[in-house]
């Protein structure tokens, strides 16, 4: 008998499961579906995203509601619009053989009238984000007084996002006797509290251990000098040509900068953070899903609800402050039965934190070295070789072959292979041949390995380590005295008797004005605008002003087959080439992912045309 049928699901639902290609129930499905079908009860299920939990609550809900009635009977609350839409789509797929089923998504940023009209047509199930749901209730556009099943999905995320009061209010409009099913990846106090407040002796189901990450994810860390973080990131990407990853940064500024830098260096990257408009975020997510973006650089908040199944790597560009956040980050990979790797780029001082994460997730991290240049060259060469081997021959080159053949008349197959691969190999080889190994010894603990920014101002200040400041203390001092935010100050570089720091150009006047005639302990503190280059002087390499526009990787990109390229627009911001920048990895100033020498100059159009023909 079909394994899903054995769980108690009816034939039309089992048919949908077969159509979807699910063969065996996941652990959370095995544990919850029979319980929920058996009798109406409250349930708390601890399960990561990607474990199949939507189906775990979705199928029982579909089986239990009355499709012939137009009353709203099921309500699913989810933290983000993204997740809300995903659940809605999944529910529609699960219920594709339920004639007359109407699942409606209610979320902010779209027309409330359209959503109200859909509800009016008779939505048996509403999937909603708390903010818009509350709004709809207060305008009497929905009626949830006859709800029989309420799901709180990703409850920990909803509470993290401050939805406690909204949830409380929404649930107050639902009947007491409904069943409530709460799903959460982690079990912080707040979630237990909500379970106590809204549920009646809930049955507890745990998939894996509490707060423990997916068993399909392995964890690795790379100790590097803080200034080498960005170079390490690039190498990790170069050493994994098929990477499809989310890269987590701590602040919006870092997220934007890392993404911009990656784009400029020829990677298929995009940024996802709260300073982008909803529309920009949608564009980025669309490109990411289509795999036009291989490296999505995101903040924790913006990455909530990213439900993309085949992410190969999560890279912690910086570790999060809270260990629970690490569990969420790493849970973005290793989904739907696939394996994944969660990598941490750590400075020496962060190793202790890794040890405490190990204790919580009950898994050991593997300590690894950042691949050296030659290892990367080898990986890239092999990846190119198998790509060429698997390339389908385009018959349209036929008319040109005569000319090409005569050009190569004096070249043997062996030589031809060597020449062909040398043309590409040399690019990576030249870039990496003199590069140093990235280990933890390099000096600074400041985290700003990006080039200077045209929109920022660099300042000189006449206090330094002699005065008891390290970069953190100076940053704190400046932030407090200038009343700036954490993100507003960066590139703080402390020398013996002076230091440098950056702010956005918009704060320039404020900084200068503030420090005019400023005295501390009887001493004048002098702040001046300085040249941006100062901190890069003692660094290796450094590219001249280069324009973005090349294609990345060997052989003109490595867009995992479907789409080869995404540039600029998909990231929701414009990537600009800037002046001199530090680049400790490049013996040649050119990133190996920049345009191949023999590519047609209109590369962008060429790849667009290719895409549209498909
Ligand atoms: P979820 O945890 O609900 O976000 O599910 C993650 C992904 O796994 C979704 O794309 C589901 O379609 C898929 N999925 C759910 N259940 C199964 C299953 N039993 N077998 C294979 N894939 C599944």
């Amino acid at each position: 008998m079909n394994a899903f049928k054995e769980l108690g699901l009816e034939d039309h639902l089992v048919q949908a499961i077969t159509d979807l290609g699910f063969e065996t129930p996941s652990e959370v499905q095995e544990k919850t579906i029979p319980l929920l079908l058996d009798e109406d009860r409250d349930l708390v299920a601890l399960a990561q995203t990607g474990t199949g939990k939507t189906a775990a609550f979705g199928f029982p809900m579909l089986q239990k509601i009355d499709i012939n009635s137009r009353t709203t009977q099921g309500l699913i609350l989810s933290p983000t619009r993204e997740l809300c839409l995903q659940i809605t789509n999944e529910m529609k797929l699960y219920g594709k053989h339920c004639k007359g089923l109407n699942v409606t998504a209610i979320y902010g940023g779209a027309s409330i009238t359209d959503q109200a009209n859909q509800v009016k047509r008779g939505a048996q199930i509403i999937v909603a984000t708390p903010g818009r749901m509350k709004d709809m209730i207060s305008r009497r556009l929905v009626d949830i007084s006859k709800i029989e099943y309420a799901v709180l999905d990703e409850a920990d995320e909803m509470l993290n996002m401050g939805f406690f009061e909204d949830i409380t209010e929404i649930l107050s409009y639902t009947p007491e006797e409904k069943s409530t099913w709460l799903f959460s990846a982690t079990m912080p106090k707040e979630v237990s509290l909500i379970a106590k407040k809204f549920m009646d002796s809930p049955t507890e189901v745990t998939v894996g251990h509490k707060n423990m990450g997916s068993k399909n994810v392995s964890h690795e860390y790379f100790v590097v000098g803080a200034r080498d973080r960005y170079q390490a990131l690039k190498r990790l990407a170069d050493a994994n040509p098929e990477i499809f990853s989310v890269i987590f940064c701590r602040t919006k500024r870092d997220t934007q900068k890392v993404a911009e830098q990656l784009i400029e260096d020829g990677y298929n990257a995009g940024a996802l953070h709260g300073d982008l408009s909803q529309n920009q975020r949608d564009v980025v997510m669309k490109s990411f899903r289509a795999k036009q973006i291989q490296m999505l650089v995101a903040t924790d908040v913006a990455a909530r609800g990213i439900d993309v199944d085949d992410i190969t790597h999560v890279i912690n560009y910086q570790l999060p402050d809270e260990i629970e956040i690490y569990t969420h980050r790493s849970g973005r990979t290793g989904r739907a039965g696939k394996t994944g790797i969660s990598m941490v780029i750590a400075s020496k001082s962060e190793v202790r934190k890794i040890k405490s994460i190990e204790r919580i997730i009950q898994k050991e991290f593997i300590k690894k070295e950042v691949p050296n240049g030659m290892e990367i060259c080898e990986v890239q060469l092999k990846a190119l070789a198998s790509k060429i081997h698997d390339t389908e021959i385009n018959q349209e080159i036929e008319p040109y072959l005569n000319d090409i053949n005569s050009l190569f008349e004096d070249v043997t197959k062996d030589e031809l292979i060597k020449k062909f691969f040398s043309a590409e190999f040399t690019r990576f080889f030249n870039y990496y041949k003199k590069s140093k190994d990235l280990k933890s010894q390099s000096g600074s603990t400041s985290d700003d390995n990006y080039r200077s920014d045209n929109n920022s101002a660099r300042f000189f200040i006449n206090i330094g380590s002699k005065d008891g400041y390290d970069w953190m203390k100076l940053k704190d001092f400046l932030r407090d005295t200038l009343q700036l935010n954490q993100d507003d100050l960066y590139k703080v570089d402390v020398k013996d008797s002076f230091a440098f720091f950056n702010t956005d150009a918009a704060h320039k006047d404020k900084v200068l004005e503030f420090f005019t005639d400023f005295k501390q302990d009887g001493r004048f503190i002098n702040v001046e605008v300085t040249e941006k280059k100062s901190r890069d002087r003692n660094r290796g390499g450094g590219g001249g002003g280069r324009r973005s526009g090349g294609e990345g990787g060997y052989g003109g990109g490595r867009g995992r087959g479907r789409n080869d390229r995404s540039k600029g627009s998909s990231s929701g911001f414009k990537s600009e080439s800037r002046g001199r920048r530090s680049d400790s990895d490049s013996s040649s100033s050119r990133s190996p992912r920049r345009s191949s020498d023999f590519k047609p100059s209109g590369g962008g159009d060429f790849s667009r045309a290719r895409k549209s023909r498909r």
Side-chain angles (χ1 to χ4, degrees), residues 4 22 24-26 29 49-54 90 307 309 335-336:
F4 286 95
F22 299 176
T24 43
S26 68
Q29 291 161 4
T49 63
T51 51
K53 63 187 168 58
T54 315
E90 290 266 316
D307 267 5
D309 282 343
R335 297 163 52 86

Side-chain angles (χ1 to χ4, degrees), residues 9-10 12-13 32-41 57-67 73-74 98 124-125 148-149 179 181:
L9 290 174
E10 287 166 4
H12 65 292
L13 297 174
T32 53
I33 293 176
L35 279 175
L36 297 180
L37 290 178
D38 179 41
E39 61 176 69
D40 286 342
R41 66 174 86 221
F57 62 74
F59 281 110
M61 185 182 279
L62 287 167
Q63 183 151 323
K64 291 197 150 210
I65 58 167
D66 178 5
I67 309 280
Q73 301 151 63
C98 304
Q124 295 95 346
I125 297 175
E148 289 175 48
Y149 306 98
S179 301
W181 306 337

Side-chain angles (χ1 to χ4, degrees), residues 377-421:
C377 289
E378 187 184 335
V379 170
Q380 288 284 341
L381 191 59
K382 285 182 176 159
L384 173 64
S386 54
K387 186 178 167 184
I388 299 289
H389 184 264
D390 299 342
T391 296
E392 265 180 50
I393 292 172
N394 181 342
Q395 300 303 342
E396 290 181 41
I397 61 170
E398 202 65 44
Y400 313 105
L401 284 181
N402 270 347
D403 287 352
I404 295 175
N405 278 328
S406 50
L407 182 66
F408 285 99
E409 229 163 37
D410 56 341
V411 182
T412 65
K413 175 187 167 194
D414 192 41
E415 278 174 331
L416 183 62
I417 288 178
K418 284 183 187 158
K419 275 175 187 276
F420 179 84
F421 284 97

